[in-house]
Amino acid sequence: MPNYRRNHYVPQWYQHRFIPDAAREKKFFYLDLRPDRFKDAKGHLRTKTALWRWGPERCFFETHLDTTKFAGIESTDIEQHLFGAIDGSGRKAVDRSEEHTSE
C-alpha cells in the first residue's frame, strides 16, 4: 500500500539516475546542515554526525508535504490523484526524451 503522507519532492526514480550502476551501495552522501545536539552522560554538549549515507527512499522528502487539512480532516488526494499520476508518467516522458536526444 502506497504511503501518500511521505512526499518526495525529487522522485525516487529520478534520484536513482544519479547513482552509478557500478556503485556498490545505492546511496548518496547526505549532509545534515543542522545536526541535532545532545548532552552526553558527563553533561558535555555534543553534535550528532552531520554526514550520512542514505538511499533515495530517505532523501528529498517531507512528511505531509502534499497533505491538505480542512476543518480537522486530512486529505492525501493531491498526492494520490495529481502528483502520483505525474510521477508515473514523468519517468516515461524522461526516458522517451533521452531516446530522441541520443539519435
Side-chain angles (χ1 to χ4, degrees):
M1 185 169 133
N3 182 353
Y4 294 112
R5 298 182 190 295
R6 189 176 161 93
N7 312 122
H8 284 81
Y9 45 90
V10 178
Q12 291 182 58
W13 63 263
Y14 194 74
Q15 293 179 53
H16 278 283
R17 299 167 69 89
F18 291 90
I19 301 172
D21 290 335
R24 187 169 43 95
E25 288 186 308
K26 304 297 183 192
K27 294 181 178 181
F28 297 108
F29 285 98
Y30 199 87
L31 181 63
D32 184 350
L33 298 176
R34 293 188 190 102
D36 291 336
R37 298 182 64 126
F38 66 97
K39 285 189 179 180
D40 65 13
K42 295 183 179 180
H44 298 120
L45 193 58
R46 304 281 183 190
T47 303
K48 288 188 175 184
T49 303
L51 187 61
W52 298 89
R53 293 279 290 157
W54 284 348
E57 64 280 348
R58 294 199 58 193
C59 297
F60 307 109
F61 81 93
E62 294 289 332
T63 303
H64 295 293
L65 181 66
D66 301 325
T67 303
T68 56
K69 283 185 182 180
F70 183 74
I73 299 170
E74 288 186 357
S75 172
T76 59
D77 286 350
I78 292 173
E79 177 63 25
Q80 288 177 274
H81 303 293
L82 177 64
F83 292 122
I86 290 171
D87 288 345
S89 59
R91 181 178 193 158
K92 293 175 194 169
V94 169
D95 289 343
R96 264 307 187 163
S97 69
E98 287 182 348
E99 289 174 10
H100 294 293
T101 59
S102 64
E103 293 177 352

